[in-house]
Amino acid sequence: MDKSTIVCRCEEINIDEIESAINMGAHTFNDIKRLTRCGMGPCQAKFCMNLVRKIISEKTGQSLKDIKPPRMRVPLGVTRMSALASNKASSVASVFGESAEEGETDHEEEL
Amino acid sequence: MKKSYDVIVIGSGVVGSSIAYHLSESKSKEILTIDKDFPLSGTSGSTQAWVWVHNKTPAWYGELNMYSAELYPFLERKIGDVEYKRTGGIAPFFSESDRENALRLAEKQAEVGIKVEVLSRDEVLEKEPALSHNIAGATYSNIDGNVNPFRLIELYVRAARKNGAEFSFYNQVIDISKENGMFKVTTQDGEYFSNQLVLAGGPWSKSMGKLLGVDVPIKQVRGQIIVTEPLSPLLTHTIGGMRQADNGEVLVGYSKEEVGYDRRSTLDIIQDTARMAIDFVPALEKANVVRCFSGIRVMPEDGFPILGEIPGIENGYIAAMHSGITLSPLVGTLMTELLVDGETSIDLERYSLKRFNTIQSIG
């Protein structure tokens, strides 16, 4: 198949990009996803899941049944922020609030 | 693959990969980096990836972050486009009574050269019109920004490989011992030897330390994040709690839970995070959420990086910290100085594992 064939429609990722991630050493869907964005779009890998698993199987020689699907997460379909939001005051910490406490360093950029 | 190296780095997250890359620049060392999974499979791949400085306290810790943030433009010239953007950072507060604390923060940070401005509500809204009118003000600094963590770690690894460094992925370290003055690292795939050893295991640092008989006092703190569909440009700054990526998606979250290495998403935190998103930026009410994810922060017991030699283990080194994304350019640079020259351009005494008075058993 032509290497420019699109595998992930949402993020427009083609076969060549998937193979290049595998060549870098990525052997699972989740690991390929973070390198290429394949499966990160609105459909959350519903379309590309098996196409990518098949490429992994062909490139690495693993049996298809051993190749896990990507990790699914809530919400399983796109959902309005307002439908998710709690009506109570949020428990999520304030970045500013932490800097205000002398010597307190528990403020994270990472998550 | 060879069996014997000058340096083995365990862990290929943002910290381990940066150390491997910076070490490889000198081309004086043969380097192997081993990871039990693949780069980005742990903490480094589940982050908003702010490059955040301005309200890290005390000021000496803010200073360390500032030096690292300042290195990003140079790093990008060397390893390629990591989508680093020095957007400026806004940390909003909602009560006028917080202004005094904000002014005190600005004063303290100024002592080490971190420029923090305390903004009025109108000034905040002028900078970032999408923020809520309920905001009372914010602290702001132009040193803050963000980076694409996927690009960053991939390019650290690619650049290190180009310089001759080797990597072994999906290869769990099972045991570490010392034989004839060299480290013997036993992995799932075989045994490797090195003169110097660097532990960069992130959230797994504690169990890694145990292999050397060393207690690494870190906590695992889960954070949950919401990802929206790509939106038209809405936020131009990095906001304490959220940012908009180059592709338009907005990442929101700042939760903290000590639940061990459990990366599930939970509805209660997701609901609170969605509430916070709307409280900060009312227009997000109508945004579609595509996905949630969660990551495990590496939080040393006192909050500060654990960096430098491992006391009692000759030629053994550790780099375990929160804020690895912000700190990685500087940490890679300093650890390279330490491993190559034996001394660092910034004194790391304050960051030594020694400060916890841990007890070692092998040497």
Side-chain angles (χ1 to χ4, degrees), chain B residues 299-343:
Chain B
M299 189 56 73
E301 293 283 354
D302 62 2
F304 305 116
I306 300 172
L307 199 53
E309 288 157 352
I310 302 175
I313 311 277
E314 204 184 342
N315 294 320
Y317 303 84
I318 183 164
M321 69 208 68
H322 177 63
S323 293
I325 297 281
T326 300
L327 292 170
S328 71
L330 185 64
V331 164
T333 304
L334 294 173
M335 290 299 282
T336 296
E337 292 174 354
L338 188 61
L339 268 74
V340 175
D341 304 324
E343 55 185 358

Side-chain angles (χ1 to χ4, degrees), chain A residues 24 35, chain B residues 12-25 33 39-40 44 51 68 71-72 74-76 78-82 147-165 167 169 324-333:
Chain A
M24 194 190 160
L35 287 180
Chain B
S12 195
V14 71
V15 171
S17 302
S18 172
I19 293 170
Y21 161 66
H22 283 91
L23 272 173
S24 76
E25 276 189 304
T33 304
L40 299 167
S44 303
V51 176
S68 197
L71 290 176
Y72 260 99
F74 307 107
L75 177 73
E76 201 161 41
K78 294 195 285 185
I79 69 172
D81 182 7
V82 295
V147 66
N148 180 335
F150 307 124
R151 297 288 296 153
L152 176 64
I153 288 120
E154 179 188 351
L155 289 180
Y156 272 140
V157 173
R158 284 191 188 277
R161 273 183 169 156
K162 206 171 158 191
N163 290 338
F167 289 82
F169 301 134
I325 297 281
T326 300
L327 292 170
S328 71
L330 185 64
V331 164
T333 304

Side-chain angles (χ1 to χ4, degrees), chain B residues 17 28 39 44 91 102-104 111 125 145 167 192 232 240-241 343 355:
Chain B
S17 302
S28 65
S44 303
L103 290 165
R104 202 175 312 131
E111 288 170 16
L125 295 176
F167 289 82
Y192 304 95
S232 47
E343 55 185 358
R355 70 185 187 269

Side-chain angles (χ1 to χ4, degrees), chain B residues 44-346:
Chain B
S44 303
S46 49
T47 163
Q48 288 200 35
W50 309 341
V51 176
W52 193 260
V53 176
H54 91 254
N55 58 5
K56 286 186 170 146
T57 55
W60 51 260
Y61 176 56
E63 188 183 17
L64 192 78
N65 285 271
M66 174 178 72
Y67 294 144
S68 197
E70 285 173 346
L71 290 176
Y72 260 99
F74 307 107
L75 177 73
E76 201 161 41
R77 303 245 349 187
K78 294 195 285 185
I79 69 172
D81 182 7
V82 295
E83 295 175 18
Y84 170 66
K85 295 177 296 296
R86 196 170 283 171
T87 58
I90 297 176
F93 52 85
F94 287 81
S95 162
E96 201 49 50
S97 63
D98 283 329
R99 188 169 303 278
E100 203 180 309
N101 288 331
L103 290 165
R104 202 175 312 131
L105 173 76
E107 202 178 302
K108 292 259 183 213
Q109 302 298 61
E111 288 170 16
V112 294
I114 304 170
K115 207 176 131 209
V116 177
E117 295 171 48
V118 179
L119 305 180
S120 67
R121 186 181 69 176
D122 288 349
E123 288 167 333
V124 180
L125 295 176
E126 196 181 322
K127 277 193 192 302
E128 198 64 276
L131 282 168
S132 166
H133 287 246
N134 292 328
I135 281 170
T139 51
Y140 168 81
S141 178
N142 57 15
I143 187 67
D144 300 324
N146 61 68
V147 66
N148 180 335
F150 307 124
R151 297 288 296 153
L152 176 64
I153 288 120
E154 179 188 351
L155 289 180
Y156 272 140
V157 173
R158 284 191 188 277
R161 273 183 169 156
K162 206 171 158 191
N163 290 338
E166 292 179 34
F167 289 82
S168 174
F169 301 134
Y170 306 110
N171 189 12
Q172 170 104 41
V173 171
I174 298 160
D175 192 35
I176 307 170
S177 58
K178 266 205 158 173
E179 267 180 24
N180 307 321
M182 289 189 90
F183 288 98
K184 176 176 151 189
V185 180
T186 307
T187 72
Q188 206 175 285
D189 293 353
E191 290 169 353
Y192 304 95
F193 294 85
S194 69
N195 296 316
Q196 294 173 307
L197 180 74
V198 183
L199 303 186
W204 298 282
S205 295
K206 207 183 225 340
S207 51
M208 207 176 270
K210 274 191 191 138
L211 297 177
L212 282 169
V214 177
D215 182 41
V216 182
I218 59 150
K219 296 182 285 186
Q220 298 175 327
V221 183
R222 179 168 72 190
Q224 301 193 33
I225 307 282
I226 286 177
V227 188
T228 72
E229 66 189 337
L231 305 173
S232 47
L234 179 71
L235 303 172
T236 55
H237 298 78
T238 306
I239 315 292
M242 67 180 74
R243 73 163 174 117
Q244 186 167 27
D246 277 7
N247 71 349
E249 65 188 21
V250 176
L251 304 170
V252 190
Y254 201 61
S255 66
K256 291 176 183 179
E257 303 161 274
E258 286 186 41
V259 290
Y261 200 85
D262 177 349
R263 284 176 62 182
R264 282 176 291 189
S265 299
T266 63
L267 193 55
D268 54 347
I269 297 294
I270 296 306
Q271 287 177 320
D272 277 0
T273 302
R275 178 78 262 151
M276 171 223 179
I278 297 168
D279 287 348
F280 273 49
V281 178
L284 286 176
E285 187 175 42
K286 294 199 172 80
N288 278 321
V289 174
V290 167
R291 186 177 177 86
C292 302
F293 64 85
S294 83
I296 307 299
R297 296 182 183 87
V298 186
M299 189 56 73
E301 293 283 354
D302 62 2
F304 305 116
I306 300 172
L307 199 53
E309 288 157 352
I310 302 175
I313 311 277
E314 204 184 342
N315 294 320
Y317 303 84
I318 183 164
M321 69 208 68
H322 177 63
S323 293
I325 297 281
T326 300
L327 292 170
S328 71
L330 185 64
V331 164
T333 304
L334 294 173
M335 290 299 282
T336 296
E337 292 174 354
L338 188 61
L339 268 74
V340 175
D341 304 324
E343 55 185 358
T344 52
S345 49
I346 293 173

Side-chain angles (χ1 to χ4, degrees), chain A residues 15-60:
Chain A
I15 294 177
D16 194 44
E17 289 166 280
I18 305 294
E19 290 188 345
S20 137
I22 296 171
N23 289 338
M24 194 190 160
H27 288 176
T28 72
F29 195 122
N30 284 333
D31 292 334
I32 290 168
K33 181 178 78 174
R34 295 186 197 96
L35 287 180
T36 63
R37 292 198 58 84
C38 179
M40 279 193 177
C43 95
Q44 289 290 299
K46 288 182 185 76
F47 179 83
C48 65
M49 171 165 31
N50 288 326
L51 297 171
V52 174
R53 288 176 66 235
K54 195 154 166 272
I55 299 171
I56 298 172
S57 172
E58 282 164 8
K59 284 281 287 184
T60 67

Side-chain angles (χ1 to χ4, degrees), chain A:
Chain A
M1 203 181 293
D2 190 319
K3 293 280 171 79
S4 65
T5 304
I6 297 288
V7 175
C8 166
R9 289 181 185 174
C10 301
E11 298 287 333
E12 296 183 356
I13 308 299
N14 64 31
I15 294 177
D16 194 44
E17 289 166 280
I18 305 294
E19 290 188 345
S20 137
I22 296 171
N23 289 338
M24 194 190 160
H27 288 176
T28 72
F29 195 122
N30 284 333
D31 292 334
I32 290 168
K33 181 178 78 174
R34 295 186 197 96
L35 287 180
T36 63
R37 292 198 58 84
C38 179
M40 279 193 177
C43 95
Q44 289 290 299
K46 288 182 185 76
F47 179 83
C48 65
M49 171 165 31
N50 288 326
L51 297 171
V52 174
R53 288 176 66 235
K54 195 154 166 272
I55 299 171
I56 298 172
S57 172
E58 282 164 8
K59 284 281 287 184
T60 67
Q62 300 172 75
S63 160
L64 199 56
K65 70 173 166 44
D66 295 329
I67 299 165
K68 286 186 193 151
R71 185 164 192 166
M72 304 305 268
R73 293 272 191 181
V74 286
L76 294 177
V78 290
T79 306
R80 277 277 164 110
M81 190 76 82
S82 55
L84 278 175
S86 161
N87 292 319
K88 301 185 308 244
S90 177
S91 69
V92 173
S94 139
V95 174
F96 173 79
E98 290 175 338
S99 64
E101 295 165 37
E102 181 62 23
E104 167 65 65
T105 55
D106 262 11
H107 29 70
E108 284 80 0
E109 84 267 27
E110 300 225 3
L111 295 163

